[in-house]
Structures are given as structure tokens and as C-alpha cells.
């Protein structure tokens, strides 16, 4: 009787007698191989799930180097936004990026180290607006009813 090269399974030839030991041995080899393969697959699945959870946690909102958001202006002279962290740099974009003589101060506004806007301040937990000069309201970033988008970097 011949046997397979890799797993030693019986390869009967025409003149071989079929014996119970050969058959049972082959089935035991198959059972053992399938059991170890299933165990290895289960371990691989657990490892993959752990890796997936780690990746999700690593790229969750609390771990991103920035946050994006939007708000609708309410026209208030003072307004504060709590982002949960002290931003190092802030960009605010007016929803309509048009520059005309009537829209002076609307577009993209920045705040950060060495970049001042006059009345946009970075705080320990986010940013705030403080308009205390009714004549100089630009850049206008809280116009009532207007949509603004922002990105704040950690």
C-alpha cells in the first residue's frame, strides 16, 4: 500500500487488502488535521478581531489630530465652542466662499500661534468669539442664520 506524500494517507492499489486499521488511521489523521486547522482559524479570528478593535480605537474621534464641525451663526457678540481640547490652529470657513464689496470679511478665517483675527480666541477647550467693537466686526464668523464650517487641529 502506498501513502500520500504530505499526510501519509493510504493510497490503495488494486491488489491491496482494505483493512480496518488503514481506514481508521486515515480518518484519525483527517480528524486531527481538521481539528488543528479549526483551532488555528479560531485563533486567527480572535487576533483579527483584536486588531480591528485596536484600529477602530486608534482612529476614533478622540484620537484624531483634528476635528471638523459646523455651526449656524446666531449673531451674538460673544459665543464659545467646547471641542474638549485646546486647539493649536483653527480654520473657519463661511459657507459661501464669495468675496464681493458687500461680503468683506467672509471666507476663510484662521486663528493660531502668530495668527490673530482680532476677536477669535483659542481657549483651553475650544474657541470663542468676542465682538466688543460694534464698528469692527470683521472677520464676521457668527452672522445670524449663516452656516459656518471649521476644522480645529490639536
Amino acid at each position: 500500500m502506498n501513502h500520500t506524500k504530505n499526510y501519509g494517507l493510504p493510497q490503495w492499489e488494486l491488489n491491496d487488502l482494505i483493512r480496518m486499521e488503514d481506514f481508521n488511521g486515515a480518518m484519525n489523521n483527517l480528524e486531527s488535521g481538521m481539528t488543528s486547522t479549526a483551532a488555528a482559524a479560531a485563533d486567527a479570528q480572535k487576533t483579527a478581531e483584536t486588531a480591528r478593535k485596536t484600529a477602530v480605537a486608534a482612529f476614533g474621534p478622540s484620537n484624531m489630530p483634528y476635528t471638523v464641525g459646523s455651526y449656524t451663526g446666531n449673531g451674538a457678540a460673544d459665543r464659545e465652542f467646547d471641542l474638549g481640547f485646546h486647539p493649536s490652529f483653527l480654520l473657519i470657513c463661511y459657507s459661501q466662499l464669495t468675496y464681493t464689496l458687500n461680503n468683506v470679511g467672509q471666507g476663510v478665517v484662521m486663528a493660531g500661534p502668530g495668527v490673530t483675527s482680532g476677536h477669535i480666541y483659542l481657549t483651553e477647550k475650544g474657541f470663542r468669539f468676542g465682538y466688543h467693537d460694534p464698528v469692527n466686526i470683521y472677520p464676521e464668523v457668527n452672522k445670524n442664520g449663516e452656516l459656518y464650517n471649521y476644522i480645529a487641529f490639536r
Side-chain angles (χ1 to χ4, degrees):
M1 176 179 306
N2 292 326
H3 292 87
T4 61
K5 177 181 173 184
N6 294 324
Y7 299 104
L9 300 174
Q11 295 287 293
W12 285 292
E13 296 179 1
L14 189 59
N15 297 343
D16 290 335
L17 295 174
I18 298 176
R19 297 186 325 203
M20 184 175 62
E21 303 86 40
D22 295 329
F23 181 80
N24 288 345
M27 293 303 114
N28 285 337
N29 286 344
L30 289 171
E31 176 77 15
S32 176
M34 291 169 52
T35 299
S36 63
T37 300
D43 287 345
Q45 181 64 37
K46 287 178 188 175
T47 301
E49 182 60 20
T50 299
R52 185 194 69 77
K53 288 178 180 177
T54 300
V56 167
F59 292 102
S62 63
N63 293 332
M64 296 298 284
Y66 60 88
T67 188
V68 295
S70 63
Y71 64 91
T72 301
N74 64 9
D78 288 301
R79 187 168 181 190
E80 190 159 340
F81 295 86
D82 185 350
L83 303 175
F85 64 91
H86 173 70
S88 62
F89 197 79
L90 173 70
L91 291 170
I92 300 173
C93 177
Y94 179 62
S95 63
Q96 301 297 319
L97 282 178
T98 56
Y99 280 98
T100 66
L101 290 178
N102 294 331
N103 285 337
V104 174
Q106 295 176 346
V108 177
V109 178
M110 297 176 276
V115 180
T116 59
S117 67
H119 47 260
I120 301 172
Y121 307 95
L122 301 179
T123 66
E124 287 304 310
K125 291 193 173 187
F127 61 96
R128 75 176 185 84
F129 311 133
Y131 298 97
H132 301 292
D133 180 355
V135 176
N136 183 16
I137 62 169
Y138 297 108
E140 191 171 15
V141 290
N142 199 27
K143 187 175 180 181
N144 192 36
E146 296 295 335
L147 177 65
Y148 299 87
N149 297 293
Y150 65 83
I151 181 168
F153 296 90
R154 291 186 186 275

